[in-house]
Amino acid sequence: CRTLGKKPADAVQGLAHGTTRVIDVGWAWGETFLNSVGIGFDAEVARVVNASQSGSGILAYLLAVAKVLRYYEPFDLELEANGERWTERVLLCEVGNGPVVGGGFRITPGAVFDDGLFDVCVVKEQSLLGILQKLPLVMLGKHTHLKGVRSFRTTRLCIHSRSGPLRAQFDGELRSTAESMELTLQPAALTV
């Protein structure tokens, strides 16, 4: 509801009036996802949130971020999109079909569910101070042009880890199955 810009009560009213919208769907590792796939730091944060008794929402995520910052190590990714291939040492790679993850982080702020494109945000290795400086900007969606952040749009992204199996979250659900992942967009695939 939040991602589509609706409060739960408004969404229920929408059901009563029969209003529909057709949105894009992502596909990776034999699964669909609606909002996002996050690889790296945010997958570890999701793991900590899912394992904790802190509940959900932005406060639970901020507590998990503080905990994960103490031990998380960046990793090496090879990425391919839009005819380019490059390697980065990254903190995270977020592939967004929607703009908000983790209860309020606008990591892919320009993502729209029905534009036929993924919005991708790659945050390169950062110092702790760099992360703490960028975190409030991520919550506001004002980080995409900062040094150490690479943002782009694509319909297909290939990722290969040079640091062991990828740890990912698919709409908050944890996955870790392989060192490579191909993400593709299926436009106008779901009516909601």
Side-chain angles (χ1 to χ4, degrees), residues 6-191:
K6 300 281 187 188
K7 294 179 181 174
D10 295 337
V12 170
Q13 288 298 321
L15 288 173
H17 299 295
T19 303
T20 61
R21 180 176 175 185
V22 179
I23 64 170
D24 305 331
V25 173
W27 180 261
W29 279 346
E31 294 187 48
T32 58
F33 63 94
L34 301 178
N35 188 51
S36 69
V37 165
I39 298 164
F41 185 83
D42 72 321
E44 180 62 10
V45 169
R47 185 193 68 75
V48 169
V49 169
N50 291 347
S52 78
Q53 304 297 320
S54 302
S56 61
I58 193 68
L59 181 57
Y61 274 85
L62 286 172
L63 291 171
V65 165
K67 183 175 183 178
V68 173
L69 279 173
R70 292 185 210 143
Y71 63 84
Y72 191 77
E73 292 291 328
F75 56 101
D76 296 316
L77 279 187
E78 181 180 301
L79 301 107
E80 181 182 342
N82 302 323
E84 293 182 56
R85 181 181 293 188
W86 67 101
T87 300
E88 299 281 5
R89 185 150 182 86
V90 304
L91 184 68
L92 68 87
C93 176
E94 191 77 30
V95 181
N97 191 32
V100 180
V101 300
F105 292 91
R106 301 184 63 75
I107 195 154
T108 53
V112 180
F113 279 102
D114 58 2
D115 67 353
L117 293 167
F118 287 132
D119 281 45
V120 181
C121 180
V122 178
V123 178
K124 299 176 187 178
E125 180 177 24
Q126 307 275 314
S127 67
L128 179 59
L129 180 60
I131 294 167
L132 293 174
Q133 289 174 333
K134 288 178 177 65
L135 190 60
L137 296 173
V138 171
M139 294 176 74
L140 298 170
K142 304 289 185 190
H143 63 289
T144 57
H145 295 92
L146 296 176
K147 183 179 178 182
V149 177
R150 183 173 184 160
S151 296
F152 58 94
R153 292 188 166 126
T154 189
T155 58
R156 179 179 167 271
L157 177 65
C158 294
I159 300 171
H160 178 74
S161 170
R162 295 183 171 190
S163 303
L166 293 165
R167 289 184 168 190
Q169 60 83 11
F170 283 51
D171 294 330
E173 300 295 326
L174 300 175
R175 303 290 183 262
S176 181
T177 64
E179 293 180 355
S180 296
M181 178 188 294
E182 179 179 354
L183 301 102
T184 57
L185 190 83
Q186 300 173 354
L190 180 65
T191 301

